[in-house]
Amino acid sequence: MCGIVGYVGAKEKKEILLEGLSELEYRGYDSAGIAVIENDKLTSFKAVGKLKNLQEKTKNYTSSGFGVSIGHTRWATHGKPTELNAHPHLGKYSFVVHNGIIENYQEIKKGLQKNGVNFLSQTDTETIVHLFEQNYPKEQKAFEAFEDTIKTLEGAYAVLLISEVAPDTIFFAKSGSPLLIGFDNEEIYFASSDTPIIGKAKEVYYLEDGEYGYVKEGKVILFDKGGEKSFQTKALTLDKISAQKDGYRFFMEKEIYEQSRVMSETMMGRLKDECIDFEEIDEAFLEGIENIKICACGTSYHSALASSYLFERLAKIPCSVEIASEFRYKEPLLSKNTLFIVISQSGETADTLEALKMAKKGGLKTLAICNVDNSSIVRTSDRSILTRAGIEKGVASTKAFATQTMVLWMLSLFIGRIKGTTDAKIAKSEKDAMLHIPKALLIPDGLHEKIHRLSKRYLHGHGFFYIGRDIFYPLALEGALKLKEISYLHAEGYPAGEMKHGPIALADSKLFTIALMPRSLHYEKIKSNVEELSARDSTILAISPCAFDLADDFILTQHDSHPMIEFFEMMIITQLLALEISVRLGNDVDMPRNLAKSVTVE
Ligand code: G6P
């Protein structure tokens, strides 16, 4: 989703901004822009589409010498992805970039328009720069004008503003959307996550909600509602964990193939001979916990849903799961004996972060399962367990989902052990199954090629139903989501036993059913459900270790000893199927239209 970078110093600013923005590219965006003030002069460039369009536009521009600069990648919320709607937004003598949503922008805009301000874009962001310029002439004090502006804004924002009236200064503010400041002596960097500044800054400060201020002459002056405040920076990792495609056609493809390896890393040091242990959590933390509530969005929600079966079955602890955007506004009843878990690959999802804050406010113990250390969700929760999937660049999440599910499976056994509710024999057989997961995730010779060949038959039709039972129902949801995300075909995940209560009315030869038919869990039940669809002429692709005559297409799986081993093996097959259909349709696999990797707006 939208990305922010900023820089104050004497280095070539265009390169720093463009390099920084390219580090944020994988998160999804549809236009980009930069603005620089040097020698008291404002310059800006914007372009729709990929960053290379902006690079092309700026190729003859250089900016050496001291100056201030801001850059942005935009994921459209208010107004289409056009050049006018791209950031930075210009007033008469100032530029602003913004992530988040200004909820009261209509009201502010009306007031400004009444005073004769002309708006060029349809964005909420443009109100910020005009409001600043309306406030400035009152006292001719730029910081006070910025402070007044920020105090008027409602909603979520990370903002950087530069102005010809203070040509050596960047004004900044954060509330709800992530923003950090990087330091390398007198050089100051801003970014919406740490990747753009790794290798450039040595120290970092992650701004808290409600903080704002300015940077001038190599110094950051920070405020919150209590006035000016001091702050502590911390060392920034020096290693750039940049991901390369390593010979694969797409990041998503590489990430699917990496799953076997990263699952070993997820388990490392946690899956011990005698038991499962998480050094991030101790017994005291679980004291008094009688149930679990999990909140998440998208793919992470599917991982949550799968784990709810495991928490109840293996740890014998009641577990409920909610979509974070729904949870936030349902006026939920929270009780202090609930462990509140949030799951997020990015650690920045606005809805999940707000749900987490609500739980904290309600006095619940909170735990984050996340792939990004130092992310907002990790910093906000009481405890966090990192999934160790490594950087995931494909917008359609694959290895992050696998590692989240692995952590949650382990966590169910960990909690069951601490609470004494998991039978030792069961714990042992689950642990043995875990050790088989890396092997089950190796893609056997010929499987990918087979899926590639099959995929040509699934490019049309009037829809896909992915069906499964028990933990294979959330996997069906996830399989359908993967297909939707990158093929743009309509797909739904459904509990197999529920098809007869409505959706079966859609069944005909142009309805594609992707049937997840594990041997180790309710095989006969799902088989009957698939037979019902076959009898109504639905085209069936069955994925199973057991031959199934009624399938039009069939993918034979290798493992059938344990439901979770079957789960992960089938997960890979659904990921590869989505990938191959998307490739045949000529779509952008890694950056599908309209989607973002890090969704920082609600
Ligand atoms: C976006 C991504 C999805 C992801 C969802 C939740 O929509 O495109 O892949 O599942 O956000 O993200 P999170 O980072 O919280 O897991």
Side-chain angles (χ1 to χ4, degrees):
M1 194 157 264
C2 304
I4 285 182
V5 293
Y7 169 70
V8 187
K11 290 189 180 145
E12 215 295 322
K13 282 161 280 302
K14 176 188 83 177
E15 290 308 327
I16 290 177
L17 296 176
L18 291 179
E19 265 175 45
L21 292 178
S22 73
E23 293 291 339
L24 298 171
E25 244 192 322
Y26 73 98
R27 289 165 176 253
Y29 68 105
D30 35 50
S31 57
I34 59 169
V36 178
I37 305 182
E38 84 186 311
N39 300 325
D40 298 346
K41 196 173 158 286
L42 266 174
T43 315
S44 99
F45 299 88
K46 301 192 207 188
V48 173
K50 298 288 179 221
L51 216 47
K52 64 174 184 332
N53 300 340
L54 185 63
Q55 273 152 351
E56 182 58 31
K57 274 196 166 175
T58 54
K59 68 174 187 237
N60 298 324
Y61 171 72
T62 54
S63 63
S64 43
F66 179 82
V68 297
S69 57
I70 55 179
H72 192 264
T73 44
R74 171 175 189 255
W75 186 82
T77 54
H78 296 75
K80 291 195 167 152
T82 60
E83 208 167 300
L84 276 181
N85 285 335
H87 302 211
H89 286 284
L90 174 67
K92 287 194 188 107
Y93 46 82
S94 320
F95 271 113
V96 72
V97 292
H98 159 232
N99 284 358
I101 290 179
I102 306 301
E103 285 170 1
N104 58 341
Y105 87 100
Q106 298 273 26
E107 200 185 312
I108 303 174
K109 190 170 176 177
K110 269 191 208 137
L112 288 162
Q113 279 170 330
K114 255 196 208 151
N115 294 341
V117 175
N118 188 23
F119 278 77
L120 295 175
S121 78
Q122 297 151 304
T123 65
D124 51 338
T125 303
E126 198 184 340
T127 54
I128 305 173
V129 71
H130 293 308
L131 192 57
F132 169 78
E133 293 190 353
Q134 180 175 276
N135 290 338
Y136 177 70
K138 289 180 204 155
E139 297 186 51
Q140 300 266 306
K141 288 183 179 160
F143 177 63
E144 281 75 357
F146 181 72
E147 195 173 32
D148 287 350
T149 304
I150 291 307
K151 286 183 179 161
T152 313
L153 305 180
E154 285 167 19
Y157 52 82
V159 169
L160 296 183
L161 185 141
I162 56 176
S163 177
E164 278 178 343
V165 297
D168 51 358
T169 306
I170 291 187
F171 301 99
F172 61 86
K174 177 211 183 308
S175 178
S177 301
L179 188 63
L180 54 89
I181 312 178
F183 300 82
D184 178 21
N185 299 317
E186 303 262 289
E187 318 264 345
I188 309 272
Y189 298 84
F190 287 89
S192 48
S193 81
D194 51 16
T195 33
I197 64 164
I198 291 175
K200 296 189 166 76
K202 296 197 174 75
E203 295 277 310
V204 65
Y205 177 68
Y206 296 93
L207 287 157
E208 298 288 341
D209 284 346
E211 289 183 337
Y212 61 94
Y214 60 94
V215 48
K216 189 178 172 175
E217 291 165 4
K219 278 212 175 67
V220 171
I221 316 293
L222 186 69
F223 295 79
D224 65 10
K225 61 176 187 297
E228 193 176 335
K229 63 188 281 199
S230 57
F231 61 96
Q232 285 275 311
T233 60
K234 60 184 204 178
L236 181 70
T237 166
L238 295 176
D239 303 326
K240 195 164 213 117
I241 342 154
S242 63
Q244 301 301 327
K245 287 187 197 149
D246 295 342
Y248 290 95
R249 295 168 297 169
F250 310 100
F251 280 113
M252 180 184 176
E253 185 177 33
K254 177 188 162 224
E255 287 154 6
I256 292 172
Y257 275 83
E258 270 176 349
Q259 290 177 112
S260 165
R261 178 180 58 75
V262 294
M263 291 290 251
S264 303
E265 292 185 15
T266 304
M267 287 187 274
M268 203 179 294
R270 294 169 173 165
L271 186 63
K272 299 185 170 156
D273 284 346
E274 36 334 324
C275 64
I276 287 171
D277 214 359
F278 283 100
E279 62 182 23
E280 299 87 343
I281 311 174
D282 48 24
E283 289 187 26
F285 184 67
L286 295 174
E287 220 164 82
I289 294 300
E290 280 167 24
N291 57 69
I292 292 174
K293 187 178 277 297
I294 315 182
C295 255
C297 302
T299 288
S300 298
Y301 168 75
H302 297 153
S303 179
L305 209 54
S307 75
S308 68
Y309 291 81
L310 306 176
F311 280 118
E312 300 213 341
R313 186 172 294 145
L314 301 175
K316 309 283 179 217
I317 182 159
C319 178
S320 59
V321 179
E322 305 212 30
I323 290 180
S325 55
E326 285 300 309
F327 173 80
R328 288 178 64 183
Y329 299 104
K330 71 183 281 202
E331 299 179 25
L333 298 177
L334 300 174
S335 80
K336 295 208 170 123
N337 60 3
T338 301
L339 173 63
F340 194 85
I341 302 181
V342 285
I343 309 175
S344 175
Q345 48 85 23
S346 64
E348 302 296 347
T349 304
D351 284 317
T352 310
L353 180 60
E354 289 308 313
L356 170 63
K357 288 180 188 164
M358 278 170 66
K360 274 193 89 173
K361 214 165 157 198
L364 272 62
K365 289 181 181 165
T366 58
L367 170 67
I369 313 287
C370 191
N371 198 35
V372 181
D373 199 4
N374 281 321
S375 56
S376 303
I377 285 178
V378 165
R379 282 181 285 121
T380 306
S381 57
D382 297 325
R383 303 290 167 89
S384 56
I385 298 178
L386 295 177
T387 46
R388 305 178 183 162
I391 192 160
E392 186 179 72
K393 286 221 165 188
V395 164
S397 179
T398 52
K399 61 178 181 167
F401 171 76
T403 52
Q404 287 166 348
T405 311
M406 189 73 211
V407 164
L408 289 157
W409 181 19
M410 289 196 286
L411 190 65
S412 68
L413 289 182
F414 174 74
I415 292 180
R417 172 171 69 78
I418 303 287
K419 299 186 81 60
T421 44
T422 303
D423 178 273
K425 246 183 158 172
I426 292 182
K428 162 92 178 62
S429 76
E430 294 296 307
K431 267 182 52 204
D432 289 348
M434 284 172 186
L435 291 170
H436 278 89
I437 298 303
K439 201 167 153 220
L441 286 176
L442 288 170
I443 298 172
D445 285 349
L447 176 67
H448 196 156
E449 174 55 24
K450 175 171 180 135
I451 294 174
H452 166 69
R453 273 186 289 111
L454 269 183
S455 63
K456 64 176 171 289
R457 290 191 236 168
Y458 293 89
L459 307 177
H460 49 80
H462 59 63
F464 287 73
F465 269 93
Y466 283 67
I467 59 168
R469 299 182 79 117
D470 204 283
I471 51 171
F472 293 85
Y473 159 51
L475 185 59
L477 289 172
E478 175 57 12
L481 181 64
K482 284 294 84 88
L483 187 71
K484 267 188 279 220
E485 286 177 316
I486 59 174
S487 74
Y488 321 143
L489 296 171
H490 182 248
E492 268 188 72
Y494 227 76
E498 190 65 13
M499 288 296 284
K500 56 185 168 295
H501 298 295
I504 204 165
L506 296 173
D508 65 16
S509 62
K510 288 188 187 131
L511 179 81
F512 299 138
T513 300
I514 314 294
L516 306 178
M517 305 173 69
R519 190 206 293 268
S520 58
L521 200 63
H522 314 314
Y523 179 73
E524 291 304 325
K525 302 276 176 214
I526 175 105
K527 188 163 163 255
S528 311
N529 300 142
V530 182
E531 280 167 3
E532 286 153 14
L533 281 154
S534 166
R536 281 144 189 101
D537 216 19
S538 170
T539 297
I540 300 200
L541 165 56
I543 304 172
S544 180
C546 313
F548 181 61
D549 287 347
L550 296 176
D552 298 278
D553 285 313
F554 185 71
I555 298 176
L556 181 73
T557 53
Q558 312 288 312
H559 305 272
D560 62 2
S561 59
H562 188 284
M564 288 304 286
I565 302 180
E566 293 202 61
F567 177 99
F568 285 118
E569 188 182 4
M570 290 187 187
M571 172 199 75
I572 286 234
I573 292 169
T574 57
Q575 293 167 345
L576 288 173
L577 181 66
L579 175 89
E580 289 304 325
I581 291 177
S582 171
V583 174
R584 282 195 189 269
L585 292 172
N587 298 343
D588 187 340
V589 171
D590 286 330
M591 285 191 234
R593 70 181 186 203
N594 305 340
L595 300 181
K597 183 85 186 147
S598 177
V599 181
T600 47
V601 295
E602 73 166 297

